[in-house]
Amino acid sequence: MTEQLFSAASEVDRAFLFILAFAVGALVLVTVLMLYFTWRYHHTRNPEAVEIPGSLGLELLWTILPTVIVMSMFWFGWTSFKAMRTVPEGAMEVAVEARMWSWAFTYPGGKRSAVLVAPVGGDVKLSMTSRDVIHSFYVPALRLKMDTVPGLTTTAWFNASAPGEFDILCAEYCGLKHANMITTLRVVPAEEFRQWLAGTDAVGSRARELFETYGCTGCHDLAGGAGAGPPLDALGGRVADVLLPDGRKERVTVDADYLRRALLEPEAEIVEGYDPMMPSYQDQIPEEDLEAMVQWMLTGDTAGPPPGRELAEAEGCMSCHSTDGSYIAGPSFRGLADSMRSVRDASGALREVRADDAYLRQSILDPGALVVEGETPIMPGYDSLDAAQVDQLVEYIRSLGPQDGAGAGAPQQ
Ligand code: CUA
């Protein structure tokens, strides 16, 4: 079984193992008896049918034994159910909102995130709901699975005993991109959680998120520590001795250009003392992220994403709209602003419109009004956003540039 980090979850494992053991035992018993009876009562051994009169002992045995077994199954199920349903007093309440096809978490104080962050050893109560259809919040490591239902608040709780990152999945088929509805439970030490919640953690949550997202932290420390690769903090103005592919040694000053090369063509210059094992990140990191990462390595801070981008992430736009021109389940945000779109209005008539601010605003609030030709009208309306938030999103889409190539964001065939 996968690792589990929730004390109440051990009860779930116990119930599961008990039922599994009984099921395997019953399978073996039935199989053996069946083979034995086939042999023992074969017609060559019993040419004459014999009437077998009732047996009180046997009747009692096969009534009492299954009753005891079923009751003990119920007992194991009941205790684990109770342990997982009884939320301890004083648990921190996190609101979970599911929507096609992403998760949003809101913490006390109003901070929102797209990954669930929780302190080690802290009781966390989840109040869950859904914006559109039924989803199911599923964390295998917590043995926790609970439906999220529109118009209803369901609750669950957990207390994670060890730090680490664990998968959160949607366990209820909810449409085209159901399989993409995944995120992470990040369990961190209590102090780190407090800082994260207050937005004052040393590394800067934005930078940490980026370096974790692209897998950098597997080899590089963000605070000067050792690793398979050099630490990434405070690099601005440093000099490094690097080996070139032809074996020559060179001394370089670490600047933005060098860091870009190090990410995009890591094999071109290897810092002395390290193995050349880093993969190239060419075409894998969107420009704005790349810039933020380089900036953090040089100066230790990132200006942070534009507010519109954070909003787009928190609202789940990114599960359907890419920022690099590729197609996920709707037009890419890159090159969308001011492009010409063929759309069908409510009456089904086809016409050409320019994706200006008014069009973008309407597409967010009432996406069904004008549907891009070739798209399925699956996007929910975001009419809970206020005007300022919609403007932020429009501004963000605009920041991703005008159309830069024919067919950007067109549905793939
Ligand atoms: Cu949400 Cu499946």
Side-chain angles (χ1 to χ4, degrees), residues 110-121:
K111 187 174 173 118
R112 265 168 87 91
S113 69
V115 297
L116 176 56
V117 183
V120 173

Side-chain angles (χ1 to χ4, degrees), residues 10-23:
S10 60
E11 308 254 355
V12 175
D13 286 355
R14 214 166 51 160
F16 173 78
L17 287 174
F18 178 80
I19 293 172
L20 180 72
F22 170 71

Side-chain angles (χ1 to χ4, degrees), residues 98-101 103 133-136 170-175 178-179 181:
R99 72 183 318 161
M100 295 174 195
W101 290 276
W103 301 98
V133 299
I134 298 178
H135 303 269
S136 184
C170 175
E172 182 67 52
Y173 183 67
C174 55
H178 158 71
M181 204 169 156

